[in-house]
Amino acid sequence: MVNFLGRATPSDPPTAPPSGAAVVIVVSFAQPVEPFARPLSPPSHEDAAIFPPIFHSFELTSSPLPSQAYNSVFNDDPNPPRLIGNFPLLPLRTKTRGPAYTLPIPAPPLPPAESPDPDNESYDILDETLSLFRANTFFRNFEIQGPADRLLVYGIWFLSDCLQKIKPNASARDAQKDVMNLALDLHFAIPGDPGFPLNQMYEPPRDRQDAEQLKLYMSQVRQELAIRLLARIYADDETKPSKWWLSFTKRKFMGKAL
């Protein structure tokens, strides 16, 4: 016999339902069933580095994804930086020699692979470049909204060059040699040179003295970026590079390269 919910009673043998009868099958479990849908777990440290905070969500929403790359917060700096052409000489937190104004080291000092908070006085454009690199490389278009964006763009291009120098199985020591050789090489193009990408976005220096000053500053940027990038790539294991960083080796921001 089948009761009104379609369950066979323990005392009766199973029987076929009457012809034309509607039967509802109910499946019961001795233990509670875990729901199929769970809240998304917070992003891992590596995911947080790849995707900017706007992507960190714990529920599905209908909000559209960003339609353009991220611009620099230093465009809104109340103290405008010195410009050579239209390339900004922003302050840097660095120990490398060069013309940049030097920002203080955070107190207490941070591990080499970490950056200070954006509202900290030690936070600089290179911290921002490293944090936005992997998000911005997905975009082929970029709208310049201020001088700092030109340094951000150049920094992203240089980071891409550095990644191409790191072999998948290279140790930290081997990678440091290859990347720092690139960073220390002074034979690189500056705005106005024929080999510089997107010269239409950058104004050339007005004279030779400005050109030399700009090259010294850009060399300082390249060295400091290389040091910080290596610290991040080998933060967890000095015997091999982070696969998350190397997965962006072939990406070209705006379809360009230095």
Side-chain angles (χ1 to χ4, degrees), residues 45 49 74 93 104-132 159 224-225 227-229 231-232 235 245:
H45 176 73
F74 291 93
R93 187 184 72 257
I105 302 298
L110 294 172
E114 296 183 13
S115 294
D117 293 332
D119 58 353
N120 190 291
E121 64 175 349
S122 299
Y123 186 81
D124 66 7
I125 183 69
L126 306 187
D127 292 315
E128 183 183 49
T129 301
L130 286 158
S131 69
L132 294 181
L159 289 176
E224 185 61 33
L225 270 178
I227 292 170
R228 297 190 200 179
L229 176 65
R232 284 160 172 76
W245 276 97

Side-chain angles (χ1 to χ4, degrees), residues 90-108:
L90 287 163
L92 304 176
R93 187 184 72 257
T94 181
K95 294 181 180 179
T96 61
R97 297 180 61 183
Y101 174 80
T102 305
L103 295 174
I105 302 298

Side-chain angles (χ1 to χ4, degrees), residues 41 47 70 89 103 106 116 155 164 184 208-209 213 221 235 241:
S41 59
D47 291 338
Y70 293 90
L89 274 62
L103 295 174
Q164 292 177 16
L184 292 168
R208 184 172 181 177
Q209 182 178 355
Q213 190 80 350
V221 165

Side-chain angles (χ1 to χ4, degrees), residues 51 54-56 61-68 70 139:
F51 298 105
I54 194 169
F55 290 108
H56 297 172
T61 68
S62 59
S63 301
L65 294 178
S67 58
Q68 64 182 32
Y70 293 90
F139 295 91

